[in-house]
Amino acid sequence: MKSARLSVSHAAPPYTPAKPLDKDLRGYLQTNADVVTRVTKPVSLEYIPALSAHSEQPILFENIIEKPGFRLCDILVKHRELQARALGVTREDYLRTLAYRLRRPPRGFVDVADGPVKEVKLKGDQVDWTRLPIPIHSEQETQPYVTAMNIVVDPETGFHNTSHAGTILTGPRSGLPSFVTPHTHAIMKKYRELGHTRMPFVIVFGVHPAYEIMANFSGLHMDMWGELEMVGTIMDQDIEMVPCETLEMRVPAQAEIVVEGHVDLGGMRDAGVSVGPTGYYLPKSSKLPELTLTAMTMRADRPIVRNHQTCPDTDHQPLPRLCHEAMLYNRLSEMGLAVRDVRFPTWGAALSCILQFDYPREGMVNDALMLAMGSPWLNTKMVVAVSPDTNLDDAADVYYAIATRCDPSRDMIIVPHTRGSPYDPSARPIDATIKSRHDPKDFIRSYPKHWGKVNIKDFL
Ligand SMILES: [Mn+2]
């Protein structure tokens, strides 16, 4: 009875046989070796952004010419197949499993005294993170950009808030973290109000990809848990945390590399151009606080830097929206829809969402579209509802459904005067031309150096 697949079921997912997930990134890469591209030939760091972004599956660079002793991996969650592997379930069970687990209470941590990330400990002047393989992500950027998970502890609640806000690497012990999330801003404000001049901050490189899915959660949670307290919940296993060397904080014991430091709560520095989630060079400049490093701990054997290449279509677009998809799945299910999938496609510039469902009666499609468009996030500028027979992995098939099944005069709803995304350079939907009122330079797309000119076959 237990394994029966009923047409209506309220049994808790996953339906697939439970097998514990790997605790760490290297375990994950080994378990999933069938889809990992291992690059063992020497590669210069400048080719890694283009080679990573050309890859549709996990890629591990084991021999980086300028950065001996370190490895780099990328593309862990770009597609549904990979996201399902991150949760250890089938592709079919992935979204409802994540949606279900996000409704569960936080599992918290298991505190341990030691762990693999403590095999090498560097403090003070010994710290030099320019030794790590941190690439420059695009043609117009001039500095290496760190895109790993970061943690700040809420001084009021003690919860561990996480994000993947990028940090510009400015020197051996300095950086400029971008802190794009409202929660990080709120937490910085709390530190200031408590009279602090600096905020403890850690960057965590190389964790199991399930950490990353949870780390990008954004929703109502700050009075109940931090994202890190929920990682064990979505992994269905305990998470081990070790104390930092120089901060009153704990960090994942199974990470590859941890960088500890303080963020200055006083002034901000101009950081120059960066690549936004829409793929354009926006914002053109931003004021960011200064980060000063105090310690770096890591594994002894060729620690892996997890890079999220930012452009063009990489993990960077789907990762911050995977929990959004699961939360929308929950809310659409509450309406009584048989939800097949919810997707922020990599090719939707992090502004567009596709809902796929069967519906029992008229009116439910518009309600579903309005629900998604009224979501708390700024990523639902354009929402498309499709039937279960459309292939969401194929942009052409979605376009085909729009072209053949939609009469815009009847089936399109335009909702004016909503917030919009600061990363969205357009002003109106539908007319997707560059407007004469705009500066065409604002629409230059970002690409890594050597884009389209490298072939992974030359490096294998
Ligand atoms: Mn948060």
Side-chain angles (χ1 to χ4, degrees), residues 1 4 61 83 121 148 160 173 189 204 228 244 261 267 273 302 313 318 322 346 379 381 388 420 450:
M1 277 307 284
F61 296 93
Q83 295 151 17
K121 297 179 184 177
H160 294 63
R173 284 182 295 286
K189 203 168 165 221
V204 183
L228 205 58
C244 284
V273 73
R302 299 166 301 146
D313 295 347
L322 297 178
T346 54
N379 312 120
K381 171 189 174 185
H450 307 297

Side-chain angles (χ1 to χ4, degrees), residues 161-162 183 217-219 221-222 227:
N161 195 85
T162 61
H183 290 175
F217 182 89
S218 62
H221 74 80
M222 288 182 74
E227 289 83 356

Side-chain angles (χ1 to χ4, degrees), residues 218-219 323-325 327-328 344 373 375-380 419:
S218 62
C323 286
H324 297 2
E325 293 171 353
M327 290 160 83
L328 284 171
F344 288 83
M373 293 191 76
S375 74
W377 320 291
L378 302 174
N379 312 120
T380 52
R419 288 172 298 167

Side-chain angles (χ1 to χ4, degrees), residues 336-371:
L337 288 172
V339 185
R340 176 72 67 93
D341 208 346
V342 178
R343 197 83 69 88
F344 288 83
T346 54
W347 31 269
L351 288 170
S352 173
C353 180
I354 305 166
L355 313 177
Q356 184 174 47
F357 54 78
D358 267 329
Y359 59 100
R361 65 186 175 86
E362 291 304 310
M364 294 194 92
V365 177
N366 282 4
D367 283 351
L369 289 170
M370 288 192 293
L371 187 153

Side-chain angles (χ1 to χ4, degrees), residues 36 53 116 129 138 148 155-156 170-171 192 214 267 296 320 350 361 414 443:
V36 177
W129 72 338
S138 66
E156 184 186 22
T170 55
R192 276 193 206 100
M214 190 64 225
M296 187 156 89
R361 65 186 175 86
I414 295 174
F443 293 85

